[in-house]
Amino acid sequence: MKKNSELMRKSHFLGTKIRNLRKRNHLTLEDLSTRCIRVDPHSAPSVSYLSMIERGKRTPSSEMLENLAEVFQKPVDWFLDNEPEENEITPQKGRHGGISGMALEPNFLFDNEILQIAIPEMLSQTGISGRQFAHLLIRAHQEHHQNHFPDLERAAEEVGGKDLYLNADTLLSMLKAQGLVVHWFDEAPGEVIDESGHTFQRVITSYFAPPNEVHVNRMLQHNQPRLKYDLAVHLGHAVLHNREGLQCVLGSGGVSGGTNGDESAPNAQDILSAWHDFESSFFAGAILCPKVAYRQLLDSYGYETHIHQALGISPSVAMRRMTVASPYPHWHYFDAYLPGKLKAVYRGNGIPLPWGNMRSVADPCQHWAVFRKFQQQAMQASAQLSVLNVNNQPRLYCCESIKVNDVADNPHVLCAGIDLNPAIAAQGLDANEVVQELQALCIKQGGASVVPWHLKKQLQSVAKILNINWIERGIANDVRVICTRGKACPRQPGCYD
């Protein structure tokens, strides 16, 4: 008994170490259990017990640990030291590169009851509201699944009939079929000051009032793309959530949807409402841009951002749906407002944030395409190749950015981009070697460089295979070194020196 109690005190990283060893050796839980049975069937753990050990829910007996040590040819003490492994296998937001998660060890500190106590305190000390925390959880879930939500796609296709060219009148008829009554109201944008002291315009575009009323701002009659989106979101709430307990509010200029509950702490109802808002927004994109038909249209347009004009939808909907419809999974999307505010973020390729989207940062890298677009007067789209170190490895991104005004007339920048490393590797090239050469050229030239001819030819081949026109335009421009923050600036001299 004393020996097992000592094991428990020393086993904080044991589950992670066993899981990492198993995965590095390409063993399933069944494989490992079978191996242990061969060593000693009496002390061998079952598959379910092994799973609980790896998740920190159980501690193996000393005999069972000796069995595992024999399988992996490690001394028992190796499993019981207080040093986590240098290269822990933790969740990633993308299948290639990206931002790794954190191993939740010692596991007992991440018990559900402990987290329920600690999270509200953490949020109050950092100034993050319960709704912001809910959106952070939802974004992590969305990025982990790389925008793959087949149930929501299917629900939208059943209602919309996979029609790429739905108009506002058709959507109004669909709302009526769901038992919703539409009323119009008049409200002009008003000036507000955010917590940072910056002034911008804000307006409510539509809202749901129980039991069955959708109120729409009359100004949307002159903005059909936004009208279609709002109607599609309310349709999504009716189809997916049966209109129960909803207080869905849509707006422009920083207005967030959802309830007006207590924002000081995470609340189960608020988190559920935030999830419902996400589902309805995803549904809206799926009904306006059904996946298969939209993918075919994107292919014929070469992923040009002006595709939104052909469909009568907003550029933000068109660009966000690219990240879903494209067969290439390594996309990111930003919707940015000055000064450094990110209203919408998707990072299926694991790219770091150019700014903190819940707080401003003092030293943002000024060479990100989304930042540079704010400095340009031109509203038309522009493409940029960027080299960024992620987890100490250089990655090559290409993006297309456009500057637009929202319904309240606030300027903002939409940016859709991809991680090119997997596409380069798919052509049998050494992606690290290609990107390191570009990075070295950029640093040598003060931070930006033309793409040399031999690399340009290789990258043009990649662009043609992906069939994304703006990659070719990015290749024709200078490639730029960017960083996550000024203190990590790789340029010589650094931008903040």
Side-chain angles (χ1 to χ4, degrees), residues 322-441:
M322 284 182 188
T323 71
V324 183
S326 171
Y328 190 72
H330 311 289
W331 284 79
H332 65 267
Y333 170 80
F334 299 134
D335 183 354
Y337 283 72
L338 276 178
K341 300 273 186 177
L342 290 169
K343 184 178 180 182
V345 175
Y346 170 69
R347 301 178 299 160
N349 56 23
I351 189 173
L353 292 175
W355 303 302
N357 69 320
M358 292 184 186
R359 60 183 176 85
S360 297
V361 295
D363 59 343
C365 176
Q366 301 174 38
H367 302 284
W368 285 69
V370 67
F371 193 102
R372 294 181 65 243
K373 193 64 185 174
F374 276 117
Q375 319 306 322
Q376 299 172 4
Q377 296 300 316
M379 303 292 280
Q380 68 262 29
S382 57
Q384 177 174 312
L385 281 179
S386 305
V387 177
L388 172 66
N389 280 332
V390 181
N391 295 333
N392 298 316
Q393 292 291 328
R395 306 198 75 83
L396 182 64
Y397 297 94
C398 186
C399 67
E400 177 96 318
S401 303
I402 60 171
K403 187 191 289 186
V404 295
N405 285 353
D406 63 21
V407 177
D409 211 31
N410 300 291
H412 60 124
V413 171
L414 305 174
C415 177
I418 63 170
D419 178 357
L420 282 169
N421 283 48
I424 295 169
Q427 306 314 310
L429 304 171
D430 187 326
N432 279 340
E433 187 176 292
V434 169
V435 183
Q436 282 172 356
E437 183 176 347
L438 283 171
Q439 185 181 49
L441 281 170

Side-chain angles (χ1 to χ4, degrees), residues 131 135 247-251 254-260 263 273-274 277:
R131 177 159 287 277
H135 284 300
Q247 295 181 29
C248 175
V249 179
L250 300 178
V255 175
S256 59
T259 63
N260 296 317
E263 291 287 352
S273 295
D277 289 343

